[in-house]
């Protein structure tokens, strides 16, 4: 469905306006879909992101700051997000040997299992290959990377 039909607009003033609305609409659509899929395992999309970051560092423990720096979304209260994952048994906290004030985080076996069970759904493997070819995905990735790469440094770090 074209963006014009999806939001019932007769005409956009420019193709740049259409692209902006299309990016926002599509981003919100994908986010809502992924949130719904993450809910199957009683986690949020941000919690899923944290688990993926921790799995990528496994078996090395990491700090809240490393997680915060790699999050896909701006997450101001990373500590509360981690607290919820600890309560669910998906993440363990341990004291840092290098810095007694710091707390290290490590994904648990249960956290690894949740990721394994959700991975294919969260990668949209049931949707993307049915609607975009691999070369179209490559083109889309290149365009999105080009768009973000052309932004001023102040805008990039929002």
């Amino acid at each position: 469905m074209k963006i014009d039909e999806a939001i019932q607009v007769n005409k956009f003033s420019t193709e740049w306006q259409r692209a902006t609305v299309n990016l926002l609409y599509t981003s919100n659509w994908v986010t809502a879909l992924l949130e719904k899929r993450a809910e199957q395992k009683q986690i949020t999309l941000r919690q899923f992101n944290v688990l993926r970051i921790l799995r990528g560092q496994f078996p090395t423990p990491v700090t809240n700051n490393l997680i915060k720096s790699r999050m896909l979304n701006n997450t101001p209260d990373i500590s509360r997000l981690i607290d919820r994952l600890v309560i669910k048994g998906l993440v363990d906290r341990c004291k840092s040997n290098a810095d007694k004030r710091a707390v290290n985080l490590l994904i648990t076996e249960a956290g690894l299992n949740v990721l394994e069970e959700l991975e294919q759904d969260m990668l949209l493997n049931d949707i993307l290959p049915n609607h975009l070819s691999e070369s179209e995905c490559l083109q889309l990735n290149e365009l999105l990377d080009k768009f973000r790469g052309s932004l001023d440094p102040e805008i990039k770090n929002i």
Side-chain angles (χ1 to χ4, degrees), residues 16-31:
W16 291 281
Q17 180 192 29
R18 185 175 193 266
T20 301
V21 171
N22 211 340
L23 279 168
L24 289 170
Y25 184 86
T26 304
S27 173
N28 289 332
W29 180 84
V30 169
T31 299

Side-chain angles (χ1 to χ4, degrees), residues 108-152:
T108 65
E109 190 66 35
L112 291 169
N113 291 338
V114 165
L115 282 179
E116 187 177 326
E117 292 168 12
L118 278 175
E119 195 85 53
Q120 294 306 308
D121 283 346
M122 298 301 281
L123 293 175
L124 302 180
N125 284 340
D126 59 328
I127 295 174
L128 285 175
N130 296 331
H131 299 280
L132 295 174
S133 67
E134 191 170 355
S135 65
E136 287 171 326
C137 282
L138 176 65
Q139 183 181 13
L140 177 60
N141 287 323
E142 287 173 352
L143 289 170
L144 292 171
D145 290 344
K146 177 182 177 182
F147 174 66
R148 278 191 325 281
S150 66
L151 298 176
D152 291 331

Side-chain angles (χ1 to χ4, degrees), residues 73-89:
N73 305 67
N74 184 13
T75 306
D77 195 358
I78 195 75
S79 296
R80 191 169 300 154
L81 184 62
I82 299 296
D83 288 344
R84 291 183 182 116
L85 289 168
V86 169
I87 289 168
K88 292 175 184 192

Side-chain angles (χ1 to χ4, degrees), residues 94-106:
C94 52
K95 293 286 184 188
S96 168
N97 293 332
D99 181 353
K100 297 298 178 195
R101 297 169 293 157
V103 175
N104 284 333
L105 306 165
L106 193 63

Side-chain angles (χ1 to χ4, degrees), residues 6-53:
I7 64 169
Q8 299 177 357
V9 169
N10 290 334
K11 185 180 179 198
F12 289 99
S13 59
T14 66
E15 284 302 311
W16 291 281
Q17 180 192 29
R18 185 175 193 266
T20 301
V21 171
N22 211 340
L23 279 168
L24 289 170
Y25 184 86
T26 304
S27 173
N28 289 332
W29 180 84
V30 169
T31 299
L33 177 62
L34 292 176
E35 280 288 357
K36 187 175 181 179
R37 290 178 177 200
E39 263 178 30
Q40 295 171 3
K41 295 294 176 187
Q42 292 78 46
I43 63 171
T44 66
L45 185 53
R46 288 184 176 171
Q47 290 171 342
F48 177 79
N49 190 200
V50 168
L51 292 174
R52 283 187 47 106
I53 293 166

